[in-house]
Structure formats: structure tokens, C-alpha cells
Amino acid sequence: MMDNEAGAFYRKLPKVELHAHLNGSVSVQTMEKLISRKPHLNIKHSMTAIGKGQRRTLDECFQVFKVIHQLVDTEEDILTVATDVIREFAADGVKYLELRSTPREEKNTGLTKKSYVETVIKAIQQCKNEGLDIDVRFLLAIDRRNGTEVAMETVELAEEFMLSSDGLVVGLDLSGDPTVGHGKDLLPVLQRAKNCGLKLSLHLSEVPSQLEESDLLLNLPPDRIGHGTFLHPEVGGSQSLVDKVLKNNIPLELCLTSNVKGKTVPSYSKHHFKYWYQLGHPSVICTDDKGVFCTDLSQEYQLAATTFSLSREAVWQLSQQAIDCIFGPEMPLVLQ
Ligand code: 6MZ
């Protein structure tokens, strides 16, 4: 994947991962376990990942999540997936991880949204007990496809777990197919979450047609932005959107490979990382869906460095600055 000396530098670099969807982060090895548990589904690994050199439309990416969800529909599956994903991030040199996932209920297996969240929390605690050198927090995700009522249920669940999970549930994510639904319908729900002390990371302007929505949601303001691909004027966004982001100093979670493979960005060199990084704005390199897009955080840092000619010193600073953007309690230490 990476050449040896440089590869070792990026793997050893202590890193912070802030944008990782649980079911998008499932590795090949874990996928094989899941497939063998459910052979009757006849799912091949090629249906759950987008390999090297391949690209898909965002719409096709969302079909891939549907396939993965068929494979992850019991508490046992969720425990497997969450513990494996946490271990893999730890092995990749991630010291602080915020996982996000959409609570799902599955009538056939008895999985409820509550037991879904409890199982992810159990996985985080198990990994802690194993002594893994990684601090993990959890954001409950609202899938925009599911509408306002479900979004409100998710906020209520997040509030409940924020109080009962020993600080492991720290916030909410708004994600899902960006072409479905409108953020204005979710404003009151998101406002309520914010008032309760839940942190908000919102996918904004992942596709070009969302300017009005981004403008509205930026008024909350969110605590972090996922992607923000089409916010700036060079790609059809606007200076006033950029000004709102800058004024509130809202960090961006940037996922290079995901955006290139999902065809919302034409090439690595055209990635909007460049625009925001040159402004000196907090820009956090993340994986998005390391399983689906066949990557890891070390590789994403290396890609950013080679594409934008970042020195090792600059890469180090980039990973250090991510600490200021976490939703968990202050980290007492500088990463080392
Ligand atoms: C928007 C995305 C996404 O929640 O089942 N998700 N939402 N844009 C993206 N860019 C590629 N990648 C993943 O993980 C899978 C879910 O995360 C969201 C989608 O809602 C997807 O169904 P969980 O753990």
C-alpha cells in the first residue's frame, strides 16, 4: 500500500480520526467473517468495497451500505464490527477516534435502536478493557432519508446515552444520501440537540445543490462540518458561506479518497483540502468509510502530503491540530 520508510512514518504518526461511519469502516477480514455467518445472502466481498482505481457515483456508494446493513443485523454482528474497527484504527496509530453510526432496528433479529447503541458502547468498553491505546467516543447518526420523526427519536436516544454512557456518547452526526430530504425540516431537532449539550457534526454541501440548506444549517452553527465539498466559490459555493464557516471557526472533516472514489471531487489535486488548508482553517484529515473505500488514516495523511507537498513538520502539525477539534473532553496530553 505504502512504500516502507514513508509508510512507517505515517503509521507511527499519532493520529485523530473524527469522521468514521461504523458500517462503512468494516475491513476485508471482518467482512469475510460476516459473509460466512450469512452464506444464504450470497454476498461477495466485491459488493461491499470499491477497490483501487475504481470509482462509483455517490448513489452507487449508498447501495453498498444497503448490502453491508444486510450483513450487520444482530447485536453479535455489531459487536464484531465495532471491536474489529476500533482495533484496526488502534493498529493504524489512531490515538483518539470518534465513531458514528445510525441506530437501526431489525424486526427479524430483535435488534432495537437502544440495543444497537448499547452494543457499540459495549464494544468501546471491551476495547478499553483490553488495554488498547486508543480513546473512543460515539456520535449517533441521523440518516436524512428517515425524516424528522426518526431524527427526533435519535436525538432523544443520544440525550439519554449522553447521560448514562460515562461520557462515551458525545454528539450527533447528520448524514445519509445528500440528495434526499431538506435540512430545514431538521433544524428544530438539531437545535434541540445543541441545547442539550450534544455536539453536532453535519454533512454539508457534499453535493452541489445544497447551498440554501448549508446556509440555514450554518446558522446553528454546527460544531464541525463533514466534507463541505461545495461550500467555496471556486466550485459554485459562495463567499458568504465561507465567511460563516470562518467566522465561527467550524472545523472541516476532509476525506480525500472517499470524495475521489465517490466522484464528488475530480482528482486528489483538486480536493478542497487545498482551499481550506491554504486559508489556515482547521482541516482534519479523515477516512469516512475505510472499508468501503479501501483506505486507512495513515494512507489518507500520506496522500494529502504527497498531493499538496506537505513537509513532515506540516503533517505533524496537521495531526496535532485535529486535537483541538475533538468532541470528547480536553485531551490532557499532546499526542506522542
Ligand atoms: C453521507 C454517509 C457517507 O451509520 O450504518 N454514510 N453519508 N455521505 C457519505 N459519503 C460517502 N458514508 C456513509 O454507516 C453507514 C451509513 O453512514 C452514512 C450513510 O447513512 C450510511 O448508510 P452506519 O454505521
Side-chain angles (χ1 to χ4, degrees):
M1 236 196 252
M2 294 194 272
D3 71 82
N4 288 345
E5 194 276 326
F9 168 79
Y10 290 97
R11 199 156 308 287
K12 276 201 195 133
L13 178 77
K15 293 172 290 295
V16 166
E17 168 65 80
L18 299 182
H19 189 129
H21 298 273
L22 180 61
N23 286 299
S25 301
V26 184
S27 64
V28 186
Q29 293 76 14
T30 308
M31 208 50 92
E32 297 300 342
K33 283 188 225 172
L34 298 170
I35 289 173
S36 69
R37 277 181 201 172
K38 298 182 173 72
H40 57 283
L41 291 177
N42 222 358
I43 292 174
K44 305 270 172 300
H45 185 249
S46 58
M47 296 155 73
T48 64
I50 302 167
K52 196 162 189 253
Q54 295 182 322
R55 298 180 75 189
R56 298 275 190 279
T57 62
L58 212 48
D59 193 43
E60 288 166 331
C61 296
F62 287 107
Q63 300 305 320
V64 173
F65 295 121
K66 286 196 186 141
V67 175
I68 298 173
H69 285 160
Q70 284 182 272
L71 285 168
V72 184
D73 67 351
T74 65
E75 285 176 29
E76 187 194 4
D77 297 334
I78 293 162
L79 192 65
T80 303
V81 163
T83 47
D84 283 3
V85 164
I86 295 169
R87 288 183 193 130
E88 288 153 5
F89 274 114
D92 188 36
V94 173
K95 303 294 177 194
Y96 176 90
L97 163 67
E98 282 176 19
L99 272 179
R100 53 186 75 191
S101 194
T102 325
R104 247 181 313 130
E105 75 181 1
E106 294 286 348
K107 295 248 155 53
N108 295 338
T109 67
L111 183 71
T112 64
K113 291 185 181 183
K114 194 167 176 170
S115 65
Y116 188 106
V117 176
E118 281 166 350
T119 308
V120 176
I121 291 173
K122 185 171 163 191
I124 297 174
Q125 283 162 340
Q126 264 186 23
C127 289
K128 202 170 177 181
N129 295 340
E130 278 172 27
L132 286 185
D133 182 19
I134 185 169
D135 193 359
V136 186
R137 302 294 143 130
F138 184 27
L139 311 183
L140 270 56
I142 295 173
D143 184 339
R144 41 190 303 145
R145 198 175 39 150
N146 296 334
T148 322
E149 226 170 276
V150 172
M152 186 54 96
E153 271 172 43
T154 310
V155 170
E156 284 166 2
L157 206 56
E159 282 174 25
E160 182 186 330
F161 279 99
M162 182 176 62
L163 300 173
S164 66
S165 65
D166 274 338
L168 295 181
V169 171
V170 288
L172 278 176
D173 153 71
L174 172 64
S175 55
D177 186 341
T179 62
V180 179
H182 197 295
K184 70 172 181 304
D185 303 327
L186 297 171
L187 263 179
V189 175
L190 296 171
Q191 188 64 60
R192 167 173 168 170
K194 206 174 152 66
N195 294 346
C196 295
L198 287 159
K199 299 280 190 184
L200 296 182
S201 169
L202 309 182
H203 283 58
L204 287 191
S205 286
E206 192 177 1
V207 293
S209 57
Q210 294 181 292
L211 296 187
E212 186 204 339
E213 175 184 292
S214 294
D215 193 47
L216 275 176
L217 293 178
L218 279 171
N219 291 338
L220 279 162
D223 299 283
R224 288 198 314 252
I225 294 169
H227 304 297
T229 314
F230 294 93
L231 287 171
H232 62 292
E234 288 168 21
V235 284
S238 74
Q239 191 57 44
S240 78
L241 289 174
V242 171
D243 289 343
K244 278 192 188 183
V245 176
L246 296 179
K247 183 172 142 250
N248 292 301
N249 202 30
I250 313 171
L252 267 83
E253 304 153 356
L254 300 173
C255 314
L256 278 74
T257 298
S258 161
N259 297 156
V260 170
K261 286 194 171 178
K263 295 195 195 171
T264 53
V265 166
S267 65
Y268 284 99
S269 61
K270 298 232 164 62
H271 196 276
H272 49 296
F273 170 83
K274 187 173 177 189
Y275 179 89
W276 294 97
Y277 184 74
Q278 281 178 348
L279 287 176
H281 187 74
S283 307
V284 185
I285 300 283
C286 302
T287 54
D288 206 7
D289 299 288
K290 73 175 181 61
V292 171
F293 297 115
C294 305
T295 188
D296 59 32
L297 194 55
S298 302
Q299 197 177 339
E300 293 302 301
Y301 268 87
Q302 186 168 20
L303 279 164
T306 49
T307 308
F308 302 107
S309 307
L310 308 181
S311 66
R312 291 203 170 171
E313 175 78 33
V315 169
W316 181 262
Q317 278 174 8
L318 195 60
S319 84
Q320 291 288 314
Q321 280 166 7
I323 303 172
D324 299 332
C325 308
I326 67 175
F327 288 168
E330 300 288 302
M331 281 224 274
L333 316 165
V334 170
L335 292 177
Q336 50 190 319

